[in-house]
Amino acid sequence: MKIGDVSFWYADIGLPQTRRPPLPGDISADVAIIGAGFTGLWAAWYLMREAPGLKVVVLEREFAGFGASGRNGGWCMGTLAWDHDRYAATHGTDAVLDMARHLEGTVDEIIATCADQNIDADILRTEILMFAQNKAQMARLKDSVAHQAKWGQAHRTRELSAAQVAQRISIPGALGGMAISGVARVQPAKLVRGLAEAVERAGAVIHEDTAVISYAKGEVLTDKGRVSAPIILRATEGFTAGLPGHERDWIPLNSAQIATPVLPPEVWAKIGWEGAELVEDAANAYCYCQKTREGRITVGARGVPYKFGSKMDQNGEPDAETIRRLTEVLHRHFPEAAPYGVEHAWCGVIGVPRDWCATVGLDRETGLGWAGGYVGVGVSTANLAGRTLADLALGRDTDITRLPWVNRRVRKWEREPFRWLGIHLMYVLLRIADRREDRLGIAPSRFAAFGNWLTGRH
């Protein structure tokens, strides 16, 4: 089994053989972007498209797509996945419905850009398929269907019977499911690599191997020199805690995945899954799965969720216990794949704000902007965030700059050891809740509700 090496997605296409030149020394720019992941690259793309004469510089510590953009589960969802009521409390229901519509449109926007720029990212239009395996999960699933309908997504969402789930995919003990249309499967490393190349063709400059040490109004200090710019956009997502002054803004929550070898036709004949749906269970400590282009299964979940002091993984290497848990999930949901083992395991981090709700914004006085806190749904969300950052940087008043996540600020996470204790306790409670729901066949467990309340998740 290969462990780490950034991710399986890079094992699929190969890590960059050479890196882009680092910052050559002190320079000036119109816009400096910190982070060459999806958010930073989309912001650069739209800036160059709307204002081709701008000098846009993207600064990246490793290589473009090194972080979550090249490690995620490949779910291009176009959904508003955070607490709708928290946005509605300040901006009203109609504004949240408008935000949901804009997010829904990101899937078509990404696909259109890939077609226009000849980016082959294994994109396949499909559906999300959530399945339930006990009564508590079924109740949660029905609540999800009703929630989607309440917030303007009834046209995308429908409940499935056990028989309808079985027609699509063989999941032991599935009692029913929920399907959400308008999504796409992607190979994320292919997408971020292609986007970086498109950004360069458009005229922006990406400097890799350039670590940002600090930034403030008008200036970014790196280990290779200074960038002077009136607009500075922070697009570091799960890596934000590594920047001075931002240690408690968003915690880096760990998410890990495994990938099987290519499974033979006889195994796929038993599993089904011909629609390559994005599959997840309705457990409290849920998993997310993909059927890849060449016929592998990837399974992702939180594993060991958070390292003390917001520490990061080493080159995407998960711990042995996380790999064991993910393998257990793979065998439980796809027993036909069990004899073939696991070929690759990797991990990365996602950015989580204290209220678990994403934000994007720009302080006009300082020229400092930010976007992130996607809580695991960044593939499509980063597109809208990048477009919004571009409009804000250009001083435009548009439909998307008035959405309820714009310039929304939340309180910081607690100091250690309290945030470590809180996050780990939450996931302990979620796993306890799942075991009780499996064993007792009860309504959704209060252990999960308490765990979510403890950390502000719901």
Side-chain angles (χ1 to χ4, degrees), residues 44-45 48-49 52 197-204:
W45 169 253
M48 298 311 300
R49 194 181 74 172
E197 292 168 354
V199 163
E200 289 180 307
R201 288 193 298 270

Side-chain angles (χ1 to χ4, degrees), residues 207-398:
H207 291 296
E208 298 179 332
D209 284 331
T210 302
V212 171
I213 298 170
S214 64
Y215 73 102
K217 180 179 180 180
E219 183 181 77
V220 183
L221 175 63
T222 81
D223 61 345
K224 303 295 193 304
R226 286 178 167 82
V227 180
S228 300
I231 299 292
I232 298 169
L233 306 177
R234 189 188 79 231
T236 47
E237 237 292 280
F239 290 82
T240 299
L243 292 172
H246 298 283
E247 295 84 356
R248 293 163 53 207
D249 287 1
W250 301 333
I251 61 167
L253 197 65
N254 187 66
S255 195
Q257 295 178 74
I258 56 175
T260 69
V262 175
L263 300 176
E266 58 269 25
V267 172
W268 287 115
K270 294 176 181 177
I271 296 176
W273 209 352
E274 294 179 2
E277 293 91 345
L278 306 174
V279 171
E280 65 177 316
D281 62 21
N284 292 293
Y286 61 90
C287 71
Y288 51 94
C289 311
Q290 185 195 125
K291 178 184 179 182
T292 69
R293 168 200 75 240
E294 72 279 27
R296 304 172 190 265
I297 297 174
T298 66
V299 177
R302 292 292 180 258
V304 176
Y306 173 71
K307 294 178 182 291
F308 189 89
S310 296
K311 288 187 175 9
M312 309 296 288
D313 61 83
Q314 295 296 315
N315 203 36
E317 295 183 8
D319 61 279
E321 174 60 17
T322 293
I323 297 172
R324 186 197 68 76
R325 289 179 186 173
L326 289 171
T327 304
E328 186 178 82
V329 172
L330 169 70
H331 294 172
R332 181 166 66 249
H333 294 334
F334 307 102
E336 295 86 359
Y340 298 90
V342 172
E343 193 169 272
H344 202 129
W346 72 100
C347 67
V349 293
I350 59 177
V352 179
R354 188 61 179 84
D355 68 350
W356 298 71
C357 292
T359 61
V360 56
L362 177 70
D363 184 325
R364 298 306 313 180
E365 182 178 341
T366 63
L368 303 180
W370 73 92
Y374 304 137
V375 198
V377 292
V379 177
S380 57
T381 306
N383 174 268
L384 182 59
R387 269 186 284 161
T388 306
L389 282 176
D391 278 358
L392 290 170
L394 294 170
R396 295 180 174 178
D397 180 15
T398 64

Side-chain angles (χ1 to χ4, degrees), residues 48-236:
M48 298 311 300
R49 194 181 74 172
E50 298 301 317
L54 284 181
K55 183 177 181 181
V56 176
V57 173
V58 185
L59 305 170
E60 169 57 46
R61 187 179 67 186
E62 298 288 344
F63 60 83
F66 174 81
S69 299
R71 308 188 197 189
N72 62 78
W75 285 42
C76 188
M77 298 165 61
T79 56
L80 200 166
W82 318 286
D83 191 324
H84 296 55
D85 289 322
R86 286 176 173 163
Y87 294 112
T90 53
H91 289 76
T93 299
D94 288 345
V96 178
L97 293 172
D98 192 32
M99 184 170 164
R101 285 191 292 270
H102 279 286
L103 283 164
E104 184 178 351
T106 58
V107 177
D108 285 343
E109 177 73 10
I110 291 169
I111 291 173
T113 302
C114 286
D116 179 66
Q117 295 298 308
N118 296 312
I119 300 172
D120 176 11
D122 299 341
I123 295 179
L124 178 69
R125 291 185 184 273
T126 185
E127 293 189 323
I128 294 172
L129 175 58
M130 178 187 287
F131 61 87
Q133 293 173 299
N134 59 46
K135 291 180 180 178
Q137 290 182 12
M138 198 67 204
R140 222 166 9 253
L141 188 147
K142 288 178 179 292
D143 286 344
S144 294
V145 174
H147 175 82
Q148 292 289 329
K150 173 185 174 182
W151 292 101
Q153 299 294 294
H155 63 288
R156 300 179 65 186
T157 311
R158 63 193 185 283
E159 186 177 339
L160 303 176
S161 66
Q164 288 172 317
V165 172
Q167 287 174 355
R168 295 176 175 228
I169 189 169
S170 177
I171 299 289
L175 303 179
M178 175 179 73
I180 301 177
S181 63
V183 306
R185 180 205 71 189
V186 305
Q187 207 283 30
K190 284 186 171 185
L191 178 57
V192 72
R193 180 173 293 183
L195 180 59
E197 292 168 354
V199 163
E200 289 180 307
R201 288 193 298 270
V205 178
I206 302 171
H207 291 296
E208 298 179 332
D209 284 331
T210 302
V212 171
I213 298 170
S214 64
Y215 73 102
K217 180 179 180 180
E219 183 181 77
V220 183
L221 175 63
T222 81
D223 61 345
K224 303 295 193 304
R226 286 178 167 82
V227 180
S228 300
I231 299 292
I232 298 169
L233 306 177
R234 189 188 79 231
T236 47

